Amino acid sequence: MRRPQLDIQLKTPDQIEKMRAAGLVVAEALRRMREAVVPGVSTADLDAIAESTIRGAGAVPSFKGYHGFPASICSSVNEQVVHAIPSPQQALREGDLISIDCGAVLDGWHGDAAITVGVGGVDPALLRMAEVAEDAMWAGIAAAARGATSGKGRLTDISHAVEDAIRRGGRYGIVDGYGGHGIGTEMHQDPHVLNHGRPGKGPRLVPGMALAIEPMITMGSPRTVELADGWTVVTRDGSMAVHVEHTMALLPDGVWVLTAPDGGRARLGDLVTARQPADSPAR
């Protein structure tokens, strides 16, 4: 079923279960890549880990071949914000930050998530920026859960919550033009979810909506440039950037963070649906 105007695909609880299976494949791939991030490893090495993990689970990397993208992950290092292509020539160095974006499709349903990881000893200010982005993502997810449960939530309540958490966290640039999105039988669906904005606008938040929430922030200007490869987006001023993301779905009794092994329980508590067991281990 699709809502009119923005063509928002609403999922049944059983379809959300299928998205959860895809989300767990993504979570496992990201876990393995996080463990592999050390000085000297190449972004191509990380891509190989992702593809092996995804295909080993019976899924398909949703990024590979998407509009011609040549890899299974986006591996954005330092001033690279999103969509950087893995390369055997790009070896990680002590002090780098890498944002790893990963997607998988299983039985026709997509999962999509991203993490930012420090390489070896990293400037605490950069780690703090990554923490702020993570907190903002969870603030957006919590706003969605509360809005759907109350029946009064609107899409931009998520955007406002993300922005507010970032502003409270420090002086960071909020990347414009890029953000979250609907997700389901396609990786990118309506609606687009900005990481800034006034609350109370846009379509209502209702059970059956599945969204990828993905803050992207910088240590400097929010302005970006796309490189000649047609994919890699970098900060215009060369400042460091971070990117985090989870796929979540709204159910009648709460939210389910489909790409978090614990379903979001550790960060969201009782906002999480009963479909996610309370004793599920977090990783």
Side-chain angles (χ1 to χ4, degrees), residues 39-58:
V41 73
S42 76
T43 52
D45 294 333
L46 298 177
D47 185 68
I49 291 170
E51 180 158 8
S52 174
T53 302
I54 292 167
R55 294 194 186 279

Side-chain angles (χ1 to χ4, degrees), residues 20 24 27-28 31 138 256-267 276-283:
R20 170 61 165 169
L24 288 176
E28 178 62 13
R31 184 190 69 80
W138 287 107
W256 199 353
V257 184
L258 303 175
T259 47
D262 74 340
R265 184 77 65 183
R267 293 295 299 252
Q276 171 61 41
D279 60 352
S280 179
R283 275 192 274 180

Side-chain angles (χ1 to χ4, degrees), residues 249-276:
L250 298 172
L251 287 116
D253 67 337
V255 67
W256 199 353
V257 184
L258 303 175
T259 47
D262 74 340
R265 184 77 65 183
R267 293 295 299 252
L268 301 175
D270 291 342
L271 290 175
V272 173
T273 175
R275 284 195 169 222
Q276 171 61 41

